[in-house]
Amino acid sequence: MEMRGYDLFATANREVSIRVIPGHFATRHSHVNYCVDMTGIKSQLNSAKAAAKLLSDYFTSTPVDTIITLDRMKMVGAFMANYLSSSHINLSQNIAVITPEISNEKMLLRDNFLPYIKGKRVLLLTASATTGKDVKNVVEGIRYYGGEPVGAATVFGGEFECSVPVVKIFGAEDVPDYRSDAPVDCPLCKKGVKVDAVVNSYGYSKII
């Protein structure tokens, strides 16, 4: 499976790359015909720092008090907090970086995290947002807990409507014929093509 993969590099900085593997993959919300591997961005210092800079550049004029991270993106979030606290509007701001629990697709905040959301301006950071379902759920959760969502940033994203600005480094349009379908509508399933792997924020597990 891995032999089919290839790397995509960000135009603005080639230190930021993702690996895309064609096939048939099952995610939590959908079936996709490419696995997008972002292990390097999530795990390596230079890649995480470079990705954080690209995403931070979109929000240098946006007041931010807290960054919520999903999909094991906390290292990137910490670098984003550093970059944003060096910009004019957030200069010397002690930006918090937190990772909430997700239960039944809803964001759950324990009491100790509430001071970082209630009355705060909150930016969401996630690795992938193809259907937009998780982004919308967390934006709704931020409002529920009394925060003000100011935007969302993702490494790889699809096209969807959202009540806040959503920025991305790579888009589904960068991957030829990329598809994300509900399992019942998956054309590969209908053709009898077996699922290669199950994919989540930790990576992929091949189905033998």
Side-chain angles (χ1 to χ4, degrees), residues 29 41 86 88 98 100 126 138 142 154 158 169 185 207:
H29 298 309
I41 289 174
S86 300
H88 296 295
I98 66 172
T126 183
V138 173
I142 292 169
T154 187
I169 299 176
D185 298 323
I207 298 176

Side-chain angles (χ1 to χ4, degrees), residues 33-49:
N33 59 343
Y34 282 88
C35 171
V36 181
D37 184 6
M38 290 174 264
T39 305
I41 289 174
K42 296 178 182 182
S43 308
Q44 294 179 319
L45 175 70
N46 290 343
S47 296
K49 193 173 183 180

Side-chain angles (χ1 to χ4, degrees), residues 11-205:
T11 304
N13 189 335
R14 287 182 63 83
E15 280 193 287
V16 181
S17 66
I18 57 176
R19 186 159 185 81
V20 292
I21 306 169
H24 184 192
F25 304 96
T27 75
R28 187 169 46 152
H29 298 309
S30 63
H31 281 202
V32 294
N33 59 343
Y34 282 88
C35 171
V36 181
D37 184 6
M38 290 174 264
T39 305
I41 289 174
K42 296 178 182 182
S43 308
Q44 294 179 319
L45 175 70
N46 290 343
S47 296
K49 193 173 183 180
K53 179 64 167 63
L54 293 182
L55 293 171
S56 296
D57 286 344
Y58 289 102
F59 296 101
T60 53
S61 299
T62 303
V64 176
D65 300 304
T66 299
I67 298 173
I68 282 182
T69 65
L70 304 179
D71 299 340
R72 296 174 50 241
M73 290 287 284
K74 199 160 189 177
M75 180 159 66
V76 178
F79 281 124
M80 285 188 69
N82 183 62
Y83 284 125
L84 291 174
S85 66
S86 300
S87 70
H88 296 295
I89 201 162
N90 292 302
L91 190 61
S92 300
Q93 175 78 345
N94 190 20
I95 298 173
V97 181
I98 66 172
T99 300
E101 297 172 63
I102 303 295
S103 178
N104 295 322
E105 300 185 354
K106 300 296 183 181
M107 184 177 77
L108 174 63
L109 285 181
R110 301 295 177 175
D111 292 353
N112 50 300
F113 277 151
L114 292 180
Y116 298 112
I117 299 298
K118 189 173 182 178
K120 304 297 184 181
R121 295 159 297 194
V122 185
L123 175 64
L124 170 62
L125 170 65
T126 183
S128 178
T130 52
T131 66
K133 190 171 184 178
D134 284 337
V135 169
K136 294 174 185 177
N137 286 342
V138 173
V139 166
E140 178 184 305
I142 292 169
R143 293 194 175 107
Y144 173 81
Y145 285 107
E148 178 191 351
V150 296
T154 187
V155 176
F156 180 80
E159 294 296 328
F160 56 87
E161 293 185 359
C162 190
S163 60
V164 298
V166 179
V167 302
K168 58 193 176 186
I169 299 176
F170 300 96
E173 65 274 8
D174 295 317
V175 182
D177 71 357
Y178 179 88
R179 289 186 61 111
S180 175
D181 297 284
V184 294
D185 298 323
C186 176
L188 294 172
C189 287
K190 291 178 179 179
K191 292 178 183 178
V193 178
K194 76 177 187 69
V195 172
D196 291 300
V198 176
V199 181
N200 65 17
S201 64
Y202 290 92
Y204 58 85
S205 298

